[in-house]
Amino acid sequence: MELKMNFLQQEDEVDFMPLIPLHEGEETGDEEIVTGSSLPLLPLRNTVLFPGVVIPITVGRDKSIKAINEAYKTDKLVGVLSQRDSNVEDPAIADLVTIGTVAKIVKLIKMPDGGTTAILQGRKRFSLIRIRSEEPFFTAEVNLLDEQVLKNDPSFDAMVASIKDLAGQIIQLSPNIPTEASIILKNIENPSFLIHFVGSNLNCELIEKQQLLEMNDMRLRAEKLLSLLQKELQFVELKNKVTNKTKTELDKQQRDYFLQQQLKSIKEELGGDSNDREIMQMKKKAESKKWTASAKELFQKEIEKLERMHPSTPDYSTVYNHVDLMLELPWEEYTSDNYDLKKAKKVLDKDYYGMTRIKERILEHLAVLKLKGDMKSPILCFVGPPGIGKTSLGKSIASALGRKYVRFSLGGLHDESEIRGHRKTYIGAMPGRILQSLRKVKSSNPVMILDEIDKVGKDFRGDPSSALLEVLDPEQNHSFYDNYLELEYDLSKVLFIATANDLQGIQPALRDRLEIIELTGYAVEEKEKIAQTHLLPKQKEMHGLKESNIKIPTPAMTYLIENYTRESGVRELDRQLAGVMRSLAKDMAVNGKVKQTILQQDITRILGKPKYSNELYKTANLPGVAVGLAWTYVGGDILFIETTLSDGKGELQLTGNLGNVMKESASTALTYLTSNAKKIGLDASHFKQKNIHIHVPEGAVPKDGPSAGITIMTALASAFTGRKVKPYLAMTGEITLRGQVLPVGGIKEKVLAAKRAGLKEIILCAQNEKDVLEINGEFIKGMRFHYVKTMQQVLEKALV
């Protein structure tokens, strides 16, 4: 009785199957084999036969068939030798090894295809003595080799146990070997047969098996087998690790695929796959788009990619979002402009009081559009102090033109990707804010407000103002490239309006692309009109007093403006009016009624005592004190220049947190007075005998600029001559060593600041007369202006 066993060689296609005899290869019938006997030889090219091991072989070569048949008729013994090269079809004696195994033919089986299968059992090792014949098959005299028997040898027994353990581990790690093989292996008691059986089934090179067979020392044979088993175990462990990892990945993929197929079936039952429907809808929507050739090509490429992708893949959402952006952008979709200039003017006048220059510029642009039908939109930049309505003016312009309105705040922006977009390969990538705004308003020609363009950040992360160069250049923005869209987009029809408080904060290259329109602060009269027309109705509605007929007469409103605000715009005025309305709302809630006409005393009661006073400028001035005019980014302001003389060596001391330019103006004024002392009526020696201290109050506020030149010179001249400066007089202008007075900027803001302060006369450079003429005469009524060209003229008009 024999048991079939497939062990270790599950990968190789071999023409035999090892069998385990129950008698464990007991060398029975040895009397039939004697040294010097003549045996037919059977060459094997795929394996090595070991004593005790039973294998089936398929016999196909003519010589081998004749040798098997001849042996089967007699003693059924045949000498089995391995070929040195298994590729040789008709081996000669030289192609065979010299040590093989005597085998007994257990059974011959005729196959249906005419072939013969022989079941051989190895008996004993032999070596060739000499060849007797080569035809019709090989026969040879052989010398039988005895097996060494090791008894009571602990080290050898340990090696045998190790062989069993290693072979058992390999069986456990090999999924194609039945687990019963491990049990059978443990029950083999004959050490020699165990070594032969394991060696026969070992997955190693033929030459290594032949080396095992040729070893006469059983201990060396066991050591060699242990080495081969260790190598095989490492290979099986590595293979098993890779197989398990691959299997885990395949199992997950198969599971996901199965679930996706089920989900697809469910969706089909409910009315079709939503992804397919979405793609079809996208294609249908794309038919109505007025795309360029490159945009159409990119869309087709992306939609084909989307169709090939499964919705669960990571890149699906990236491609989908990109296609969705292309579909939602308003390609060549424009709103119709309102060419009714009278109506547009009416809208602008209704929304804003004053600002004549801006309104004229917008109406001019609209007139050109009406006549020509098409033109590149200008890039306007409104520059002025805070609170005068630069940003909200953009909304009014959009309303007047009949366009969509969108606002884009640039304050604190530090990443140029906010303008140009991120590349869509990045996680969380988005298009730039420009395209996002167009996508939102669904129009390619909106009015886009770029708010606070002078406050764009610049650091190591990028320079957004440089990215704006392309956006705000009429010669380039027709082909604006967004990194996320990966296409050029036409921005030439967008009416960009930038706002800024200070031109110095705008990059020079960017400033060169902007059409600058300077907005000045409001006069008291303008503020009063704005408060009555816009601010008061708004605050009444916000505080639930819309239905009340509350009025603030012009004198009371002017009192509020002059005594509770100091600003170019109207934000603080709006807050003060809100305070008045809150108090009235409380009266209405408590008493059920409210005073309809708010007078000056009511404002004082509600808001408290006045925060600002003009009395400071109306007091009698001492010699050495002059009033100057200054410009700040929040509007005009006035400042005092105080000069004091003391005995000393002619040293000049400057205090009041002054900048370098202002210090140089003081030095220039002193040098001019020193060199022209006789003309002014001074003794030149006084300048060497007196120390001069010039101070500008409000020392915590930094001050700089050349416009205080004539004020400093007048204060010095007043101190040295002892003559007072004319009261209610202010002045502004730059000085030179030649005694010339040069023009300065910010005239409107400075004049309005002087008006707010209650000053009545102003000395200016003659070249600044044109700036004064631009101011509404109603706003400067009662003020007198002196236009000078030289510093001598300044002293003549300023000193009493």
Side-chain angles (χ1 to χ4, degrees):
M1 182 177 180
E2 295 171 342
L3 294 176
K4 291 186 178 181
M5 169 84 173
N6 183 9
F7 176 50
L8 298 182
Q9 293 186 332
Q10 64 275 12
E11 293 184 324
D12 299 335
E13 292 184 355
V14 296
D15 56 356
F16 63 88
M17 175 87 59
L19 303 171
I20 304 176
L22 292 183
H23 49 72
E24 295 186 3
E26 293 176 2
E27 297 169 355
T28 57
D30 283 349
E31 65 280 354
E32 301 173 8
I33 311 168
V34 293
T35 299
S37 298
S38 179
L39 287 175
L41 299 182
L42 179 65
L44 294 182
R45 56 180 169 184
N46 290 323
T47 191
V48 174
L49 179 62
F50 285 84
V53 177
V54 178
I55 60 170
I57 63 168
T58 299
V59 185
R61 292 184 285 207
D62 290 341
K63 282 187 176 183
S64 298
I65 293 173
K66 290 176 183 177
I68 286 288
N69 289 333
E70 182 63 28
Y72 195 69
K73 292 176 184 176
T74 55
D75 54 6
K76 299 183 179 181
L77 296 177
V78 64
V80 177
L81 293 170
S82 297
Q83 291 182 201
R84 298 181 190 275
D85 185 358
S86 58
N87 294 321
V88 178
E89 186 63 32
D90 187 14
I93 292 299
D95 295 322
L96 303 178
V97 298
T98 57
I99 294 179
T101 304
V102 177
K104 183 173 183 178
I105 304 170
V106 178
K107 193 174 182 73
L108 274 182
I109 303 171
K110 298 292 184 181
M111 305 303 292
D113 59 356
T116 302
T117 297
I119 297 176
L120 306 178
Q121 180 183 11
R123 289 298 184 88
K124 207 159 190 176
R125 296 183 308 131
F126 72 86
S127 61
L128 287 176
I129 297 176
R130 67 185 181 88
I131 301 298
R132 283 193 171 182
S133 65
E134 296 186 12
E135 295 295 338
F137 48 82
F138 293 122
T139 57
E141 291 183 13
V142 298
N143 178 35
L144 298 180
L145 302 175
D146 294 329
E147 295 293 346
Q148 181 184 10
V149 179
L150 297 173
K151 293 183 178 179
N152 300 324
D153 189 336
S155 64
F156 180 71
D157 293 342
M159 281 192 285
V160 171
S162 296
I163 289 171
K164 283 187 178 183
D165 290 342
L166 289 173
Q169 290 180 45
I170 294 172
I171 291 170
Q172 293 297 325
L173 293 172
S174 303
N176 295 332
I177 300 177
T179 53
E180 292 83 355
S182 179
I183 299 171
I184 295 170
L185 197 66
K186 289 179 181 178
N187 289 323
I188 297 177
E189 296 179 357
N190 187 334
S192 177
F193 176 66
L194 177 69
I195 293 171
H196 292 159
F197 176 72
V198 174
S200 176
N201 291 282
L202 193 62
N203 186 21
C204 64
E205 296 292 333
L206 198 67
I207 189 170
E208 292 177 325
K209 289 186 179 182
Q210 184 63 30
Q211 288 173 358
L212 274 177
L213 182 68
E214 292 179 1
M215 287 180 178
N216 292 321
D217 191 329
M218 188 63 70
R219 187 189 301 278
L220 292 177
R221 202 181 301 173
E223 289 176 356
K224 175 70 174 176
L225 182 60
L226 271 174
S227 174
L228 294 174
L229 283 172
Q230 287 282 5
K231 182 179 176 182
E232 177 66 14
L233 179 61
Q234 291 177 6
F235 175 76
V236 172
E237 285 177 340
L238 181 61
K239 178 184 173 186
N240 200 47
K241 181 179 178 182
V242 174
T243 303
N244 288 339
K245 183 179 179 182
T246 308
K247 184 179 178 182
T248 302
E249 293 175 355
L250 287 173
D251 286 348
K252 184 179 184 302
Q253 291 177 3
Q254 290 170 351
R255 174 180 172 275
D256 291 347
Y257 176 76
F258 176 71
L259 292 175
Q260 290 294 343
Q261 290 300 315
Q262 283 188 322
L263 183 61
K264 187 176 180 181
S265 300
I266 293 170
K267 286 179 178 178
E268 287 174 355
E269 289 294 325
L270 293 173
D273 192 343
S274 61
N275 295 317
D276 293 338
R277 288 202 306 272
E278 282 180 351
I279 292 173
M280 289 300 295
Q281 289 171 0
M282 284 179 168
K283 287 182 176 179
K284 190 173 180 180
K285 192 174 179 180
E287 293 173 2
S288 61
K289 287 289 177 183
K290 300 174 185 177
W291 277 337
T292 60
S294 58
K296 190 178 293 185
E297 182 182 348
L298 180 62
F299 174 80
Q300 192 61 36
K301 181 181 175 183
E302 293 291 284
I303 207 75
E304 288 174 0
K305 189 187 296 182
L306 204 61
E307 288 176 326
R308 293 193 301 268
M309 296 172 72
H310 196 278
S312 63
T313 56
D315 288 341
Y316 184 87
S317 60
T318 303
V319 178
Y320 180 89
N321 291 336
H322 185 239
V323 172
D324 188 50
L325 172 68
M326 292 183 67
L327 289 171
E328 290 193 6
L329 282 174
W331 301 84
E332 295 188 21
E333 295 178 17
Y334 308 110
T335 54
S336 299
D337 287 335
N338 172 27
Y339 294 128
D340 189 342
L341 270 65
K342 291 182 180 178
K343 184 180 177 182
K345 187 176 187 304
K346 188 177 179 181
V347 171
L348 290 171
D349 288 339
K350 179 186 174 184
D351 291 344
Y352 279 88
Y353 182 82
M355 296 195 178
T356 307
R357 186 177 174 190
I358 289 181
K359 293 175 183 177
E360 287 298 322
R361 181 64 183 86
I362 298 302
L363 292 175
E364 288 168 2
H365 175 67
L366 197 55
V368 174
L369 284 176
K370 182 178 181 179
L371 295 175
K372 188 173 181 288
D374 181 31
M375 73 171 290
K376 291 180 180 178
S377 293
I379 315 295
L380 305 179
C381 181
F382 299 160
V383 180
I388 62 173
K390 298 184 299 297
T391 303
S392 53
L393 181 60
K395 198 166 188 177
S396 180
I397 292 172
S399 177
L401 294 175
R403 293 190 182 187
K404 299 286 184 69
Y405 167 80
V406 61
R407 176 178 166 273
F408 174 15
S409 179
L410 295 171
L413 195 73
H414 59 76
D415 188 356
E416 65 172 332
S417 297
E418 293 284 337
I419 307 294
R420 286 203 181 109
H422 307 79
R423 301 202 178 277
K424 67 176 188 287
T425 51
Y426 295 124
I427 295 173
M430 295 175 67
R433 297 272 292 277
I434 302 289
L435 289 192
Q436 286 185 52
S437 300
L438 296 181
R439 180 185 192 176
K440 180 180 178 182
V441 298
K442 301 290 184 185
S443 172
S444 287
N445 66 334
V447 174
M448 185 174 289
I449 302 297
L450 302 178
D451 211 8
E452 310 292 356
I453 197 170
D454 57 328
K455 297 175 183 64
V456 175
K458 181 180 178 181
D459 55 20
F460 65 92
R461 290 170 288 190
D463 182 10
S465 61
S466 297
L468 284 170
L469 294 175
E470 181 184 7
V471 177
L472 300 181
D473 190 338
E475 300 300 323
Q476 297 182 37
N477 63 10
H478 66 278
S479 57
F480 170 68
Y481 186 86
D482 186 274
N483 291 329
Y484 184 87
L485 182 63
E486 295 182 342
L487 283 171
E488 292 180 348
Y489 195 89
D490 186 5
L491 299 178
S492 61
K493 303 295 190 297
V494 179
L495 176 55
F496 289 104
I497 299 178
T499 70
N501 297 128
D502 184 10
L503 272 179
Q504 301 305 315
I506 305 176
Q507 182 182 331
L510 184 58
R511 189 165 66 236
D512 183 58
R513 287 163 167 78
L514 304 174
E515 182 180 337
I516 307 296
I517 298 178
E518 294 189 1
L519 305 182
T520 54
Y522 296 116
V524 173
E525 292 80 2
E526 287 179 302
K527 290 183 181 181
E528 195 273 332
K529 290 281 187 184
I530 292 169
Q532 298 287 8
T533 309
H534 300 285
L535 302 183
L536 185 58
K538 182 184 78 171
Q539 291 298 340
K540 283 167 64 175
E541 183 177 354
M542 289 178 63
H543 292 85
L545 300 171
K546 186 177 181 181
E547 304 301 325
S548 303
N549 191 25
I550 298 173
K551 294 180 180 179
I552 302 179
T554 300
M557 187 68 77
T558 304
Y559 173 77
L560 189 154
I561 293 168
E562 291 182 340
N563 293 276
Y564 293 89
T565 66
R566 273 289 187 274
E567 59 176 348
S568 293
V570 291
R571 281 194 182 135
E572 183 62 26
L573 175 58
D574 195 30
R575 283 190 284 267
Q576 296 299 333
L577 283 174
V580 173
M581 291 302 113
R582 284 195 300 271
S583 178
L584 297 177
K586 185 185 73 172
D587 293 343
M588 176 67 81
V590 173
N591 304 320
K593 60 180 181 179
V594 66
K595 190 174 181 181
Q596 299 297 313
T597 303
I598 309 302
L599 301 176
Q600 179 175 326
Q601 57 268 27
D602 298 314
I603 292 174
T604 306
R605 175 179 57 83
I606 294 170
L607 299 179
K609 290 186 178 181
K611 295 181 180 179
Y612 305 100
S613 174
N614 293 334
E615 296 302 317
L616 176 66
Y617 314 117
K618 297 176 183 178
T619 56
N621 289 329
L622 298 172
V625 180
V627 179
L629 298 176
W631 180 92
T632 67
Y633 79 95
V634 295
D637 200 358
I638 71 154
L639 51 83
F640 284 96
I641 305 292
E642 300 176 349
T643 305
T644 302
L645 304 180
S646 59
D647 293 336
K649 299 179 181 179
E651 295 177 356
L652 175 63
Q653 183 180 2
L654 301 167
T655 57
N657 202 353
L658 308 183
N660 289 332
V661 177
M662 205 165 178
K663 290 178 180 177
E664 289 168 1
S665 295
S667 299
T668 304
L670 182 59
T671 302
Y672 172 78
L673 291 176
T674 305
S675 60
N676 294 276
K678 290 183 179 180
K679 291 182 183 179
I680 303 169
L682 294 174
D683 186 352
S685 62
H686 286 180
F687 292 98
K688 297 180 180 179
Q689 297 169 1
K690 300 289 184 180
N691 285 341
I692 307 160
H693 186 168
I694 299 176
H695 177 68
V696 184
E698 298 186 42
V701 181
K703 308 167 193 73
D704 203 2
S707 63
I710 64 172
T711 314
I712 295 173
M713 188 269 297
T714 302
L716 283 171
S718 173
F720 277 106
T721 60
R723 297 163 63 188
K724 295 181 182 180
V725 177
K726 190 182 297 185
Y728 309 117
L729 173 71
M731 60 192 76
T732 182
E734 185 178 352
I735 59 174
T736 68
L737 285 174
R738 295 175 297 158
Q740 301 294 315
V741 178
L742 302 181
V744 291
I747 294 300
K748 183 178 179 182
E749 286 84 356
K750 292 176 179 179
V751 169
L752 293 179
K755 177 77 160 104
R756 287 195 298 267
L759 300 172
K760 296 177 181 179
E761 296 181 66
I762 299 178
I763 298 177
L764 297 168
C765 174
Q767 295 181 43
N768 284 126
E769 185 176 2
K770 65 181 187 303
D771 300 308
V772 176
L773 294 176
E774 291 181 1
I775 305 173
N776 191 326
E778 292 294 322
F779 305 157
I780 53 176
K781 191 175 181 180
M783 296 191 74
R784 186 179 177 189
F785 295 92
H786 303 284
Y787 302 108
V788 298
K789 293 182 179 179
T790 66
M791 291 151 71
Q792 186 65 37
Q793 291 174 328
V794 174
L795 295 178
E796 290 172 0
K797 295 183 181 297
L799 299 179
V800 178

